[in-house]
Amino acid sequence: MKVLIVNGPNLNLLGTREPEIYGSTSMESCVEALTSEFTSHDLDYYQSNIEGEIINRLQEDNFDALIINPGAYTHYSYAIADCLKNIRKPKIEVHISNIYKREEFRQKSVTAAHTDAVLSGFGMDGYRLALLSIKD
């Protein structure tokens, strides 16, 4: 099964960005660990700081399941929400921090309604938990 993992803006800085919130593990290290653990899955990782590039990648439609952390786009990107609405494959939204314990504007997800599940506050392990929940 091919699983696409997509991260939005500023998540290219994982490992160094606000480690008190996001931890000190880089996404590259996380993907390496996931690839080692989930050998029956073909993992494809994509990150962009640009909304349209994320939409273009999602519309390539060359995956069986999606794990997405839209970053700040979670809270206001109706364009990504509309794109997710049209994907008829398993989709899980992941947030490293617990968005419901953060600033008020971060407590609303416009994209979550178009995913099958949301994991929030499990740190980098949220990506692993999302993969565990995706069935072949």
Side-chain angles (χ1 to χ4, degrees), residues 1 4-5 7 12 14 18-19 28 33 48 59 67 74-75 78-79 104 113 115 120 125:
M1 169 180 280
L4 175 62
I5 301 171
N7 275 351
N12 56 307
L14 287 173
E18 298 176 277
E28 291 75 18
S48 179
Q59 289 179 353
I67 297 169
T74 300
H75 317 295
Y78 293 98
E104 186 176 340
T115 62
S120 178
D125 204 36

Side-chain angles (χ1 to χ4, degrees), residues 68-126:
I68 185 166
N69 183 342
Y73 291 136
T74 300
H75 317 295
Y76 63 86
S77 179
Y78 293 98
I80 291 175
D82 285 345
C83 181
L84 289 170
K85 184 175 12 178
N86 290 298
I87 296 173
R88 304 281 181 240
K89 300 173 183 186
K91 303 171 291 236
I92 300 173
E93 182 170 305
V94 169
H95 297 285
I96 297 164
S97 66
N98 181 348
I99 63 173
Y100 302 103
K101 290 180 78 173
R102 302 203 48 205
E103 302 93 334
E104 186 176 340
F105 79 92
R106 294 187 197 275
Q107 296 176 19
K108 170 76 173 149
S109 172
V110 301
T111 52
H114 306 294
T115 62
D116 300 306
V118 177
L119 291 162
S120 178
F122 290 96
M124 296 296 275
D125 204 36

